[in-house]
Amino acid sequence: SSTLNKYLITFQNEDGSVIEAKEYEYGTTPVAPADPTKEATAQYTYTFNGWDNTIVAVTGAATYKATFTSTLNKYLITFQNEDGSVIEAKEYEYGATPVAPADPTKDATAQYTYTFNGWDNTIAAVTGAATYKATFTSTLNKYLITFQNEDGSVIEAKEYEYGATPIAPADPTKEATAQYTFTFNGWDNTIVAVNGVATY
């Protein structure tokens, strides 16, 4: 009587670690184990691509090694306004350097004018999802405050920063006529902290 020889058939991970090692009789076709997986990295996602050799009927010991295809991962890169609203959200491949959108603007208020000051972090090559937020520098607005004579001629015109209280010039005088002598009676409005252009 004859006995068919058995041979060790090994299925390995890409790194050489054994998934399955089993004896099969000569002439039988080995059954591959379930498709192995390879853990994704920050850079790549891996998909099982088959075995390094076609699985054939057993004629001797054999080893089959898993092969994988790699796909470069993509990550969402978001550029936001200072208030958190999205300017742009776009996927970039790992390792690519995101391109910032046009410099955002921030509406001036009565008190401040804003200038774009860059992003809160240096734009770097993509290694994962990232958000960049716009930053602004504020400049206190200045307004022209004018002090005029009763006839509208300018006594003094000077710029003051928002919130400052203008300092009135020396009390103006008005030349007496044959009929009247004039005494300065104050300004037509109470002098208040600057919140815009004003004339007294």
Side-chain angles (χ1 to χ4, degrees):
S1 74
S2 61
T3 306
L4 282 171
N5 287 332
K6 287 185 176 180
Y7 294 96
L8 189 65
I9 305 301
T10 307
F11 288 90
Q12 294 179 343
N13 274 311
E14 195 180 42
D15 65 3
S17 60
V18 174
I19 300 168
E20 182 181 285
K22 196 169 159 185
E23 285 196 330
Y24 284 87
E25 285 184 341
Y26 183 95
T28 59
T29 303
V31 178
D35 292 351
T37 57
K38 184 177 176 181
E39 211 168 299
T41 62
Q43 189 169 9
Y44 293 110
T45 297
Y46 299 97
T47 310
F48 178 65
N49 195 37
W51 303 98
D52 62 346
N53 288 301
T54 306
I55 297 169
V56 294
V58 174
T59 57
T63 299
Y64 298 96
K65 193 176 268 194
T67 64
F68 293 87
T69 51
S70 58
T71 307
L72 203 54
N73 290 330
K74 287 185 175 181
Y75 293 97
L76 189 66
I77 304 301
T78 307
F79 288 91
Q80 294 180 342
N81 275 311
E82 194 179 44
D83 65 4
S85 61
V86 174
I87 298 168
E88 181 179 285
K90 195 169 159 186
E91 282 197 332
Y92 284 88
E93 285 186 338
Y94 182 99
T97 301
V99 177
D103 291 353
T105 57
K106 184 176 175 180
D107 288 341
T109 63
Q111 189 171 9
Y112 293 110
T113 297
Y114 299 96
T115 308
F116 178 65
N117 194 37
W119 304 98
D120 63 345
N121 288 302
T122 305
I123 296 169
V126 173
T127 57
T131 299
Y132 297 97
K133 194 176 266 194
T135 64
F136 293 88
T137 50
S138 57
T139 306
L140 204 53
N141 290 331
K142 288 184 176 179
Y143 292 98
L144 189 65
I145 305 300
T146 308
F147 288 92
Q148 293 179 344
N149 270 312
E150 194 179 41
D151 64 4
S153 61
V154 174
I155 300 168
E156 182 180 285
K158 193 170 160 186
E159 281 196 334
Y160 285 87
E161 283 186 340
Y162 182 99
T165 301
I167 296 162
D171 292 351
T173 56
K174 185 175 177 181
E175 228 169 276
T177 63
Q179 192 176 1
Y180 295 109
T181 299
F182 299 96
T183 308
F184 178 66
N185 193 36
W187 303 99
D188 62 346
N189 288 300
T190 306
I191 295 170
V192 294
V194 174
N195 59 19
V197 173
T199 301
Y200 297 99

